[in-house]
Amino acid sequence: TILLALPILLRIPALAAQGFIEEVSCSAEGLTVMLNRSAKEVIALMNDPKAQPVAYVYAHKSRVQCGTSLKNEKGAVNYNLTIPYGKACDVQLTHLEPSYRISETTIVLENNVASYRSQPLYNAVNCVYSTKVQTYKFTEFNGQPNLTFNIGGRPKPKVDMLFRSIDGTPLREARVGELLEFYLTIQPDNAYRAILPKECMFSDREDMQSPETHRITFVQGSCPVDSVSEIIDKLQHVNQEVFFSKFKTFRFRDQSTVFVHCTAQVCMTKEECATTCFKQITNSTLNAERLRFRHKRSAHGEIGHGQEGDVDIIGALHVLPRDETAPSSHSSSSISSCSPSSSPLLGLSSTHIYLFSAILLTVSIASIIVIVYLLHRLKRKNKESTFDLYSAAQLRSIANSSASLVDRYPGYPLHVHTAFH
């Protein structure tokens, strides 16, 4: 209804669907229109040496801040037009409860030469701001919006959710009972300046709509939940850019992954996200940019737009049993998948590895004993076979020696013992 009423109110001629605008970029102060350089109308105007192409907000051609020339006498070209919000160009931000703000206007492209008889071209443009962040899976993201002759811009808040160890290392895995830091942050830009958590919870699955989902809510109604303070400390914030807390890791029954879902409002000004529920901490060393930089070094996945213009984000943490050791390389959260390792021992607990080593050692010792025993038997058998081969010759030698001794010492008693095998 609003989109139809605006042209009637301004008495804008019927839109010529020429599509000379390629993109609209939105900020907290205004919108920037980028003309389509490949549009045939733009090319014709830029190639005509006598043409003086201009782009401006409809009905505000005479106001300098509401228009621009595409080229000047020196040959410089400009395809962008920045329009401030406010009364100067009659471009206002309209609140759409409960989750959006929108601004809309119409851009005119024409040749500013009086003798030029061609009709001006019109393109409607708009900016849509989302003031909510919801949690969904990355696989549900849509692609880029289709360009239409009513061109709109949709800023994307730079929102992150991550887990860190006490020493500041980004994590994706931790042992049960390990103390971790939890962060929900926004990196301020020219569109969004602050964030306000409205509802946050732990759950045992990504699909929050499932009736079998188990959850623990720790932020509700834009305030911390007191009854779960033994599970997770109350969230605090630094300048409404970083919300953080600490908690000891746990599991939902036998589920190895714990998910964190947060719905938060993103604000164009800090006043919009002002809160007294969350305690504010002054810490100049803790800011979203530093956290985001360290987080990105851990190969964090990108965040995309959903169908309604919301930012889709979810945090997941893999929780290991107490007797398992988390890997030394970590990464955060927003959703990450672990690549399978080529090593067959990865995934085994330390107890399993010790047991496997003990069995291997026992088998090795037993094998050595058997080999030594067999070698000893073989050596003894060879020795006995050699004695049997020469036993007759040895007996004759002994008998002759005995006879010689008897002849030499006739009164000396001589006892000869022989053995036969």
Side-chain angles (χ1 to χ4, degrees):
T1 303
I2 296 176
L3 298 180
L4 295 176
L6 186 57
I8 296 174
L9 179 63
L10 296 177
R11 299 180 182 179
I12 298 175
L15 297 180
Q18 305 298 328
F20 63 85
I21 293 178
E22 181 176 12
E23 186 180 348
V24 176
S25 176
C26 306
S27 73
E29 290 78 24
L31 56 91
T32 299
V33 176
M34 287 154 274
L35 302 183
N36 186 357
R37 302 186 184 196
S38 60
K40 62 180 181 179
E41 296 80 9
V42 175
I43 294 175
L45 286 171
M46 298 300 286
N47 291 338
D48 186 351
K50 297 181 180 180
Q52 299 176 7
V54 294
Y56 57 89
V57 177
Y58 179 79
H60 295 86
K61 181 178 180 180
S62 60
R63 298 183 182 181
V64 176
Q65 63 267 48
C66 302
T68 186
S69 297
L70 274 64
K71 61 181 179 179
N72 58 24
E73 297 82 3
K74 297 181 180 180
V77 298
N78 176 37
Y79 292 94
N80 296 341
L81 169 62
T82 299
I83 307 164
Y85 298 130
K87 295 182 179 180
C89 302
D90 288 333
V91 179
Q92 306 292 344
L93 278 175
T94 303
H95 288 269
L96 301 178
E97 294 297 336
S99 304
Y100 298 97
R101 280 186 174 186
I102 186 171
S103 63
E104 181 174 320
T105 190
T106 299
I107 304 300
V108 182
L109 175 67
E110 68 175 3
N111 190 343
N112 202 29
V113 178
S115 60
Y116 196 79
R117 297 183 178 181
S118 178
Q119 293 295 324
L121 303 176
Y122 301 89
N123 238 153
V125 296
N126 63 65
C127 277
V128 178
Y129 293 86
S130 168
T131 57
K132 293 182 69 177
V133 176
Q134 295 182 337
T135 56
Y136 291 100
K137 293 185 295 185
F138 279 42
T139 53
E140 296 175 355
F141 293 173
N142 291 336
Q144 296 295 328
N146 294 325
L147 293 175
T148 65
F149 296 116
N150 189 325
I151 304 298
R154 187 176 292 174
K156 183 175 78 170
K158 299 180 180 69
V159 178
D160 275 323
M161 180 188 294
L162 62 150
F163 308 94
R164 300 199 317 177
S165 63
I166 299 302
D167 63 3
T169 304
L171 298 174
R172 69 173 176 224
E173 294 183 337
R175 293 188 302 273
V176 169
E178 185 175 349
L179 184 62
L180 300 186
E181 298 174 346
F182 166 77
Y183 292 89
L184 183 66
T185 73
I186 184 170
Q187 184 176 0
D189 54 21
N190 61 354
Y192 297 104
R193 307 292 173 79
I195 189 172
L196 178 63
K198 305 185 79 171
E199 187 176 42
C200 292
M201 63 188 69
F202 296 103
S203 75
D204 61 346
R205 62 187 65 202
E206 290 177 291
D207 184 11
M208 294 298 295
Q209 306 302 321
S210 172
E212 299 178 356
T213 300
H214 294 80
R215 57 178 63 88
I216 299 174
T217 303
F218 58 93
V219 174
Q220 193 170 46
S222 300
C223 288
V225 177
D226 293 334
S227 60
V228 296
S229 57
E230 293 185 2
I231 298 175
I232 181 171
D233 294 347
K234 293 182 180 180
L235 260 67
Q236 305 175 63
H237 73 95
V238 178
N239 204 25
Q240 296 169 253
E241 298 176 10
V242 178
F243 283 79
F244 64 95
S245 180
K246 294 181 181 180
F247 70 100
K248 288 187 176 181
T249 54
F250 59 89
R251 281 186 166 191
F252 285 91
R253 304 180 310 279
D254 57 346
Q255 297 295 321
S256 60
T257 302
V258 173
F259 298 93
V260 180
H261 304 256
C262 274
T263 299
Q265 180 180 351
V266 290
C267 303
M268 299 171 64
T269 64
K270 291 186 181 295
E271 290 74 21
E272 292 181 67
C273 280
T275 176
T276 57
C277 268
F278 299 96
K279 183 180 178 181
Q280 182 170 1
I281 302 297
T282 303
N283 186 341
S284 59
T285 63
L286 183 61
N287 57 68
E289 186 175 0
R290 289 189 63 183
L291 288 170
R292 186 179 178 89
F293 173 74
R294 295 198 64 178
H295 190 36
K296 279 194 169 183
R297 292 179 64 185
S298 306
H300 173 59
E302 293 185 357
I303 301 174
H305 280 292
Q307 206 168 31
E308 300 295 329
D310 296 332
V311 173
D312 302 336
I313 183 174
I314 187 172
L317 182 69
H318 185 65
V319 182
L320 303 171
R322 291 182 183 273
D323 58 348
E324 289 191 28
T325 302
S328 57
S329 59
H330 306 284
S331 69
S332 121
S333 135
S334 79
I335 291 179
S336 300
S337 61
C338 300
S339 300
S341 174
S342 59
S343 174
L345 293 181
L346 290 180
L348 295 177
S349 68
S350 57
T351 302
H352 293 157
I353 294 175
Y354 294 151
L355 182 59
F356 177 79
S357 301
I359 294 175
L360 182 61
L361 180 61
T362 303
V363 171
S364 301
I365 294 174
S367 300
I368 293 173
I369 292 174
V370 171
I371 293 172
V372 170
Y373 175 74
L374 292 176
L375 290 175
H376 178 73
R377 287 292 305 271
L378 181 61
K379 183 177 180 180
R380 183 178 177 184
K381 184 176 180 181
N382 290 338
K383 183 177 180 180
E384 291 174 353
S385 299
T386 304
F387 181 80
D388 290 340
L389 181 63
Y390 298 101
S391 58
Q394 290 171 349
L395 288 176
R396 284 193 299 269
S397 175
I398 292 171
N400 293 334
S401 299
S402 300
S404 176
L405 289 173
V406 171
D407 293 339
R408 185 175 299 179
Y409 305 101
Y412 184 82
L414 179 65
H415 302 279
V416 177
H417 299 274
T418 59
F420 297 91
H421 296 276

